Amino acid sequence: MQNQQQSIQGILSIAALICLAVGWFNLFSEDINHLLSRKVFYILIGASFFIQAPLLTNRNFVYAMYAAAAVCVFGAFLPEDSKLSSVKTIGLLGGIILSMSNRKR
């Protein structure tokens, strides 16, 4: 079960990186690039964090990872001109920090 969750989490992360790369390299129309790199990317990363949360070895970080996932997904649906649209980046950074702190040394 844990290996399956890790595989799904990895696939979601790779898909998110592909969305980000598509937006950077302008492979499609401006609207599609924007949708993929500024909306779908954060939704996929949020889903990846959500799947990763129960796998964290430090139980204190599980709810923080769920919060980071929720902030990423919530932020993706906010309008770009909203003052709160930057919360998705905060969720992304929080999830990355939590993920990195979970790595075995």
Side-chain angles (χ1 to χ4, degrees):
M1 182 68 164
Q2 185 173 354
N3 285 340
Q4 185 179 10
Q5 282 181 300
Q6 287 175 332
S7 296
I8 293 169
Q9 192 256 334
I11 291 168
L12 286 172
S13 297
I14 291 169
L17 290 175
I18 291 170
C19 287
L20 192 60
V22 164
W24 280 345
F25 295 115
N26 296 317
L27 299 178
F28 300 110
S29 70
E30 186 176 335
D31 291 337
I32 298 295
N33 290 331
H34 183 270
L35 177 70
L36 290 174
S37 66
R38 297 200 179 151
K39 302 286 183 190
V40 176
F41 168 75
Y42 284 101
I43 293 168
L44 290 173
I45 286 293
S48 173
F49 289 163
F50 184 78
I51 290 172
Q52 185 181 4
L55 302 175
L56 295 175
T57 54
N58 186 338
R59 304 319 294 163
N60 296 327
F61 292 159
V62 172
Y63 291 113
M65 185 62 91
Y66 281 130
V71 168
C72 283
V73 173
F74 173 73
F77 289 103
L78 292 175
E80 290 293 318
D81 58 351
S82 168
K83 292 181 180 182
L84 293 175
S85 68
S86 63
V87 298
K88 61 188 175 196
T89 305
I90 294 168
L92 174 66
L93 293 174
I96 290 171
I97 290 168
L98 290 167
S99 179
M100 297 296 277
S101 66
N102 191 55
R103 303 253 184 235
K104 294 181 182 176
R105 295 180 162 106

